Amino acid sequence: MMKSVKSVLAASVVLALSGCGSDSSSPETGTFTLGVSDSPALATNVTIGFDRVVLKGEQTFVYDVTEEGELKQVNLLEFQGQQVEQLVAGQEVPVGPYQMCIYMKNDVTGSANTSFVIAEEVTKGLVSTSQGSCGVADTDFDAENVKEEGRIFLNKKFDIAVGNNAFVAEFNLAKLQGPKGNKDYWTLKPTDVVTIENVSDVGAIKGNVTAELFADCEIEAGGADVNNRGAVYLFPAGASVAGDEGTVSMADFRTTDGYLDTESAPFTAARVDEEGNYEMGFVVAGNYSLGYTCVAQNDDPDMNDMAEEGGFFFFADAADVTVNLEEVTEVNFAVQ
């Protein structure tokens, strides 16, 4: 297998947040802004109909994000890498720790007016598996026993400080569950799919995969296939394709209890486009490894697909990838 470990620092991303002072005679407050972005799935459209955002702290704040009473529909595939669609802007709240719930409209039918996924030119509904009040009233169950209101509960606490605070809810759509059994719709498990990041704590990764490397990977996969899809996966530092001495093996997405001690679970993945480019936005500053595959379509988020002959595998890796605050790290994959 060919491996590329080229890693160079590219231009910085303007993500700096401006702070502002406060009047000592009044309670300290900060402004809250929330956007949504994604790490892409293999679908061609993943639209979520957003309803409201709830901040839970010592007080509870509810923000209606609908537009003229209609759901705010966002196709997350239009907001990849560092692109963000804003849900809440410049809301003043007391400083302190918070948790957050984002509410979406569940739909099992694939209606174009709510939440849906288009894959292989087929439209199916999309639901969140989480429900709950989060400080606001529940809704009734629909005929399919799936609540119309889906909750995306981000239980990791985060702080709002004096000044401007901008956060991004990052959707790892590679872990969406497709229709299975009697569930003829897509499923979003918030604890697996969504994380929240403060944009002042992150950088980004982008790069290119050459056509030659893609072709070599397809040979390894048994030959060219129109269904083959390239993707770059993000791993903790010290992961490699083969689990060389001193490292652990890069693994696919699967249930959390399905990993061996010798395997490393990926954080997220980014699609490689037709020009060979990929981008990961909102990566927390730190050290990482990257893995490349040309058969991302074979990665079922619930299964160990690497155990299947002719299933899923990584073809190349890049080690010692450093992400710095508010900067973009460029990592290219090529035949060496």
Side-chain angles (χ1 to χ4, degrees), residues 163-187:
N164 297 326
N165 300 261
F167 298 89
V168 172
E170 180 82 344
F171 289 73
N172 181 8
L173 300 182
K175 298 195 75 174
L176 284 182
Q177 295 181 332
K180 289 184 178 180
N182 62 352
K183 295 182 178 179
D184 194 28
Y185 50 84
W186 288 72
T187 303

Side-chain angles (χ1 to χ4, degrees), residues 36-183:
V36 291
S37 182
D38 94 296
S39 299
L42 297 178
T44 57
N45 187 312
V46 179
T47 291
I48 294 181
F50 292 103
D51 187 356
R52 62 189 182 276
V53 173
V54 177
L55 279 183
K56 294 180 62 177
E58 289 189 3
Q59 302 178 55
T60 297
F61 299 89
V62 181
Y63 303 106
D64 185 344
V65 301
T66 60
E67 299 175 330
E68 297 182 353
E70 299 294 330
L71 295 172
K72 182 176 178 63
Q73 289 185 291
V74 179
N75 178 6
L76 289 171
L77 294 186
E78 295 179 355
F79 299 94
Q80 299 179 26
Q82 300 169 73
Q83 296 177 300
V84 174
E85 173 70 352
Q86 193 165 272
L87 294 184
V88 179
Q91 299 296 317
E92 190 170 296
V93 298
V95 299
Y98 287 87
Q99 292 175 300
M100 181 166 55
C101 293
I102 304 173
Y103 282 87
M104 59 178 278
K105 188 65 69 175
N106 279 350
D107 194 307
V108 298
T109 68
S111 168
N113 297 321
T114 54
S115 303
F116 60 89
V117 174
I118 301 176
E120 298 180 346
E121 301 183 355
V122 177
T123 302
K124 300 285 187 180
L126 174 64
V127 305
S128 169
T129 59
S130 175
Q131 285 86 33
S133 66
C134 207
V136 294
D138 285 343
T139 56
D140 296 329
F141 282 89
D142 66 12
E144 295 291 334
N145 204 34
V146 176
K147 288 188 177 181
E148 292 182 359
E149 197 79 357
R151 182 182 67 167
I152 299 169
F153 181 31
L154 301 167
N155 57 9
K156 175 185 175 183
K157 288 188 176 180
F158 57 93
D159 291 321
I160 291 182
V162 172
N164 297 326
N165 300 261
F167 298 89
V168 172
E170 180 82 344
F171 289 73
N172 181 8
L173 300 182
K175 298 195 75 174
L176 284 182
Q177 295 181 332
K180 289 184 178 180
N182 62 352
K183 295 182 178 179

Side-chain angles (χ1 to χ4, degrees), residues 177-228:
Q177 295 181 332
K180 289 184 178 180
N182 62 352
K183 295 182 178 179
D184 194 28
Y185 50 84
W186 288 72
T187 303
L188 183 159
K189 292 184 176 181
T191 54
D192 293 340
V193 175
V194 189
T195 58
I196 184 168
E197 305 295 348
N198 187 326
V199 297
S200 63
D201 296 334
V202 301
I205 302 171
K206 71 176 183 179
N208 179 268
V209 179
T210 64
E212 291 79 10
L213 189 75
F214 177 75
D216 286 353
C217 179
E218 285 201 306
I219 293 173
E220 182 80 9
D225 187 327
V226 294
N227 294 314
N228 284 343

Side-chain angles (χ1 to χ4, degrees), residues 290-305:
L290 297 176
Y292 167 73
T293 181
C294 61
V295 288
Q297 77 280 0
N298 292 338
D299 188 359
D300 184 320
D302 287 335
M303 305 290 292
N304 178 1
D305 301 293

Side-chain angles (χ1 to χ4, degrees), residues 238-278:
S240 70
V241 167
D244 299 327
E245 185 176 354
T247 71
V248 291
S249 296
M250 293 176 171
D252 59 346
F253 289 118
R254 67 183 80 147
T255 54
T256 304
D257 60 358
Y259 293 101
L260 302 175
D261 292 341
T262 56
E263 294 179 317
S264 180
F267 292 122
T268 188
R271 177 197 312 224
V272 178
D273 66 21
E274 293 180 356
E275 286 70 44
N277 300 315
Y278 74 93

